[in-house]
Structure formats: C-alpha cells, structure tokens
Amino acid sequence: MDQLYRPCSLGSVIDAAGRPSCSGTHSVGLTLVPNPTPDELELQRRALAVLTELAPAAIELGAMFRAAGHELSLVGGPVRDAFLGRASNDLDFATSATPDQTLALLSAWGDAHWDIGKAFGTIGAKRFGGRAGRAEGDVVVEVTTYRSDAYDHVTRKPVVAFGDSLEGDLSRRDFTVNAMAVRVPDLVFVDPHGGLGDLAGRILRTPIEPERSFDDDPLRMMRAARFAAQLGFTVEDATFQAAQGMADRIEIVSAERVRDELDKLLLSGNPRAGLEVLVASGLADHVLPELPALRLEIDEHHRHKDVYEHTLTVLEQAIDLETGPEGAVPAPDLVLRLAALLHDVGKPATRRFEAGGGVSFHHHEVVGAKQTAKRLKALRYDKETIKAVSRLVELHLRFHGYGDGAWTDSAVRRYVTDAGPLLERLHRLTRADCTTRNRRKARRLSEAYDDLERRIERLRGEEELARIRPDLDGQQIMEILGIGPGPVVGQAYRFLMELRMDRGSIGEDASREELLAWWAARS
C-alpha cells in the first residue's frame, strides 16, 4: 500500500545509508519503510536514477489527469525495469478515467494518438522529442482504465470490466514484480503485493493464488518461463507447482499467443532457463512436445549424448556465434535459434540400437525437418520462417564427412547452393552442433570447418557462388534444340546446372556441345 513509502525528492541524492535526502520540488516515494534490505536499497538507487529521466513527461501527464479529476499511475514493466536500472520511453499507465476521458486528455498532450485498444480501455499517444524545447526523446504512452477482468474459462478471452481502484487493477497482473506502480504526478510508489521484495529476491510469484491466476489466464504460465529467460528469475515453488498441475490449460490459448511468448523467450538473453521451466513444468508437452521427447534414456554404454542437454548446449553455442548489427547474423536471430532448438527433433523417431551396443539415428535430419515444419505450422509461424528453419534442420548434418575425405569443388558448390541465403546461419548451426568433450575431436572438427569456409571463400571469389547459373539460359536452350517452352526446357536446364556444379564454368561453346550430346542420347 502507499504508506509503505515516505515521499522524498525526485532530484535528491542518495545518502550514505542508501536513502535519498529530501529536497526539491517533486516528491517520490522511494524511501523504504521499515528496515530496507541492502538489495532493496540498491534497487532504490537504480529506480531513482531512471525515474528522474522519466519524470518530466510522466509528471506533466499526471498533472493533466489530476487537474481533470482523475488518478494516473505508471504501472507494470516500466516500473519493474526502473528498479532494475532500465529506462524505457514506452510507458504504460493505469487511470481512473474512462477511455473517452483519456482520449480527450491524450489528444491535448501528444503529437499523435490512437484508440485501437479502446474496447479494452487502452488509449495510446506519442510525443515527439526535440520539439518546442523538449529535452527528452520520443515518448510513447498507453493509458488503460482500471480493469477488473473476468475470464471465459473455456476460451480464455477476457470479459472487459472496468475497475475503480489502482490496487484492484494491480491484483489482476501476472506477477508481483509487474504489480507495482508509481502514482503521478507525486511519484509515490505503490506495492500492495510485495513486488519489490520479490524483485530483490529475483522471484516470480502471482499476486493472487496461482491456481486462480492461471485459471483466469493460462498464458501467464508461459510468461513465467519467458520472464525466467528474460530476467533470470526463479519461479516460486507454489507458483511452479500450480503450473505443473494446470499445464494442460495452456491448450485453450491460441497458437498465435503461445508462439509470441515462445519467440520472446527464445530472443531473450538466456533462453535455456525459460526452456527448462517449460519442460520441467510440463507446459512443453503441450506447446512444444518435440523438446521433452529429446530426453532419451542414455544407453548403458553411454555411446550417445543426452539429446535434450545437447540441444540446449547447441542453442547456447549458436547464440554465442551470432554477430553484431553489422555482421552476417545479427543477434538475436530467431531463425538460427529455432533451428538450433529443433535440429535433433528427428532423433527419437529414428533411434535404433545396433548390434554390439551402438545407437544410430539414420536420416534423423530428414525426419526432423518434416517434424519441424509441422510444429512451426501448428504454432502459426509464417511460411518463410517455416521454410528457413526446416531447411537448416535438413542441412545441419551435410558437413559431417568433410574431414574424412576431400570434398571436390563440385561438392562445395552444392553445399553453398543448397544453403542459399541460409549459408551464414548454417555455418553457425554446424559449428554449434559440436558439443563433444573430446578436445582433440572438437579441434579436428573446427579445423575441418575452417578449411571448408576457406574453400567457399576461394570459390566465391572465383565464381560468385551466390549467383551460380548454367552457361546457357532457357532461351538459348530452346534455340539450340529447336524446341518451344515446356518441361523439356526445365530438364535441359537442370542437366546444365549439374554440369556447372561438377565442372565449373566451361563456356557457352562447350555447354552447347554437352547439351546436344544430352539431347541426342534422349533421342
């Protein structure tokens, strides 16, 4: 509640005890009462610095709402992130004002506004930075009328019901760390559910009973996994147990919403932590069953890896190989991360125990590519993503065998051509797929791939591999053979393409002779 915090100056300086001294014109409730822990004091220091930057726009907007007789509070992620020392120019507010009243106020405050979320009580606005003496950058705000949602427990769709208090609005949030607020313009911190303590302890806990929270909105279970990945937090025991017991409820959530949460998880700084929550809670059994299926029983002779752990390691190593913004695969790259996560999903279906105790997974890359496409389609990914990820899964073993015998230039050309625009991602996926603890073997594989990349660069410089084409085009083929458009032209083109791969560019005259010989053999 508000009385947990005493007002103090926004522009104040933290004293030696970690408390801000009270001087200035705008008050902010950041002094913890009673007996703040060292971790809470550190969070307080960070929040003071961030809120100082957010304050001008927030205070002005708060003053406008107050003058009109309404409450306004900064809520959710921006408040949580302020305590984590992260500033954002995208601000979420909750208000006692109706959507129409909010729209009128934001129209006067911002340079642009929108009401696409009006049915749910949300109005948005943007103020451009650098205008009329404004020091801050662009500021985007979304203001939502206090909510007190009820849910259709069959479809999970909320029945919109507006509430009458900030505390009631905060109680409907997913986790306590997202159920904190700062009232504006006074900047008084409100924390009715102990979110700051949970933030200091890096714990995810629901504001109300987790069973009730997850029953209202099962997607919150997916968010727990996502926040574990994004923030490095641990899911509190009772909350985790509720997710375990209610995992099947996630099936009433639309595939698109599940996909969006999975994307945010995978694009976070530590996807492994979130994926482990998905698997351990049983949620993955319903949204990504191919992942827990990788937990194959290791044979008694330990002749193959734990595929599940191997997969998580490959994902981490692939992430490490992503590049900066100007590089070939700028981080975070969703296609590469999905391919790393799914590259071995064909193994359970293809596992065979061989004579002598060996284990094989023949053609698991082909089976896995089909499974990958099926799963991504079920999750409503777009066609381009499905095509790219499944192709990488199909190609991820192509390199193996390169070190055992010299590839011809033809084989290198085929490798590059088959990968097409995915080549740089394939480089990284192939390198990441080496998780052996045998240093000698790992070094040998790395050196072999170094050699392959050097050969690709040499041939690329000589032949412009990315644009490999036969020496004769379709029009020339028809003129030489005296035929019109039709399937035979395509067959002839493919013959010349194979010739180009095997022998490189041999010129138009030699290609003409080869084409005529092929045509004569057909006749």
Side-chain angles (χ1 to χ4, degrees), residues 3-253:
Q3 62 262 32
L4 290 176
Y5 299 87
R6 292 195 299 265
C8 196
S9 164
L10 174 66
S12 61
V13 178
I14 301 291
D15 65 21
R19 297 181 176 84
S21 60
C22 291
S23 62
T25 57
H26 300 299
S27 62
V28 60
L30 282 178
T31 302
L32 301 175
V33 178
N35 303 319
T37 68
D39 286 341
E40 289 172 333
L41 286 174
E42 177 58 29
L43 292 176
Q44 177 182 321
R45 292 188 187 96
R46 296 176 187 173
L48 183 63
V50 172
L51 288 174
T52 299
E53 297 299 319
L54 298 181
I59 288 175
E60 181 181 347
L61 195 58
M64 290 180 64
F65 272 74
R66 172 179 284 182
H70 310 302
E71 298 177 358
L72 186 70
S73 298
L74 187 67
V75 294
V79 177
R80 178 200 69 217
D81 288 347
F83 281 100
L84 293 175
R86 304 170 183 172
S88 171
N89 282 340
D90 293 343
L91 305 179
D92 295 327
F93 292 89
T95 183
S96 59
T98 67
D100 286 332
Q101 291 168 334
T102 296
L103 180 59
L105 290 166
L106 289 185
S107 298
W109 176 86
D111 298 309
H113 64 273
W114 53 93
D115 61 359
I116 191 171
K118 185 177 179 181
F120 296 94
T122 300
I123 306 296
K126 183 173 184 177
R127 169 179 277 188
F128 301 116
R131 293 176 57 179
R134 301 171 191 160
E136 72 271 14
D138 292 355
V139 178
V140 177
V141 303
E142 286 196 342
V143 181
T144 302
T145 301
Y146 293 154
R147 293 272 294 271
S148 179
D149 291 346
Y151 285 85
D152 176 342
H153 288 186
V154 176
T155 66
R156 203 216 122 251
K157 293 181 179 179
V159 178
V160 178
F162 296 134
D164 57 8
S165 72
L166 175 61
E167 287 75 9
D169 184 88
L170 294 177
S171 71
R172 56 170 288 275
R173 305 279 165 166
D174 50 9
F175 301 103
T176 60
V177 296
N178 294 327
M180 302 181 290
V182 175
R183 292 186 184 274
V184 288
D186 295 330
L187 293 170
V188 174
F189 180 53
V190 182
D191 182 19
H193 302 287
L196 187 60
D198 286 346
L199 195 65
R202 307 182 74 80
I203 293 171
L204 290 172
R205 181 171 57 86
T206 55
I208 59 177
E209 297 86 352
E211 291 82 4
R212 179 181 158 198
S213 179
F214 294 156
D215 192 50
D216 282 346
D217 186 356
L219 192 65
R220 289 169 178 164
M221 296 184 287
M222 287 286 293
R223 290 197 196 109
R226 189 238 297 183
F227 286 128
Q230 286 183 329
L231 303 174
F233 287 11
T234 300
V235 183
E236 179 256 350
D237 286 346
T239 302
F240 185 78
Q241 290 170 11
Q244 282 183 311
M246 303 176 66
D248 61 335
R249 287 281 292 163
I250 197 65
E251 293 186 1
I252 71 170
V253 180

Side-chain angles (χ1 to χ4, degrees), residues 213-395:
S213 179
F214 294 156
D215 192 50
D216 282 346
D217 186 356
L219 192 65
R220 289 169 178 164
M221 296 184 287
M222 287 286 293
R223 290 197 196 109
R226 189 238 297 183
F227 286 128
Q230 286 183 329
L231 303 174
F233 287 11
T234 300
V235 183
E236 179 256 350
D237 286 346
T239 302
F240 185 78
Q241 290 170 11
Q244 282 183 311
M246 303 176 66
D248 61 335
R249 287 281 292 163
I250 197 65
E251 293 186 1
I252 71 170
V253 180
S254 71
E256 291 83 357
R257 298 292 301 280
V258 169
R259 178 204 62 213
D260 290 346
E261 285 298 325
L262 182 61
D263 283 355
K264 292 173 184 177
L265 186 160
L266 287 174
L267 294 173
S268 70
N270 183 18
R272 181 185 189 119
L275 292 168
E276 288 176 338
V277 171
L278 286 183
V279 171
S281 66
L283 286 166
D285 292 331
H286 303 278
V287 301
L288 194 64
E290 294 80 5
L291 183 59
L294 295 176
R295 295 179 294 182
L296 299 175
E297 180 182 354
I298 301 176
D299 64 288
E300 59 179 335
H301 300 291
H302 295 272
R303 297 195 182 186
H304 74 271
K305 302 181 182 78
D306 178 334
V307 184
Y308 170 69
E309 288 296 329
H310 164 75
T311 293
L312 296 183
T313 300
V314 170
L315 174 59
E316 290 177 318
Q317 294 184 166
I319 291 171
D320 289 341
L321 293 172
E322 291 173 340
T323 68
E326 304 304 318
V329 184
D333 189 88
L334 182 63
V335 169
L336 176 61
R337 296 185 183 199
L338 281 168
L341 180 65
L342 299 170
H343 78 284
D344 272 348
V345 295
K347 280 191 170 181
T350 58
R351 182 172 63 160
R352 298 291 182 271
F353 294 100
E354 307 292 351
V359 180
S360 66
F361 303 95
H362 295 309
H363 306 301
H364 77 268
E365 72 281 10
V366 178
V367 173
K370 294 178 180 178
Q371 289 179 308
T372 293
K374 182 178 180 180
R375 175 53 50 197
L376 296 184
K377 184 177 181 180
L379 288 169
R380 303 293 192 271
Y381 278 92
D382 62 273
K383 291 181 180 179
E384 287 302 313
T385 299
I386 295 172
K387 181 180 178 180
V389 176
S390 58
R391 185 60 167 161
L392 285 170
V393 172
E394 182 182 1
L395 293 174

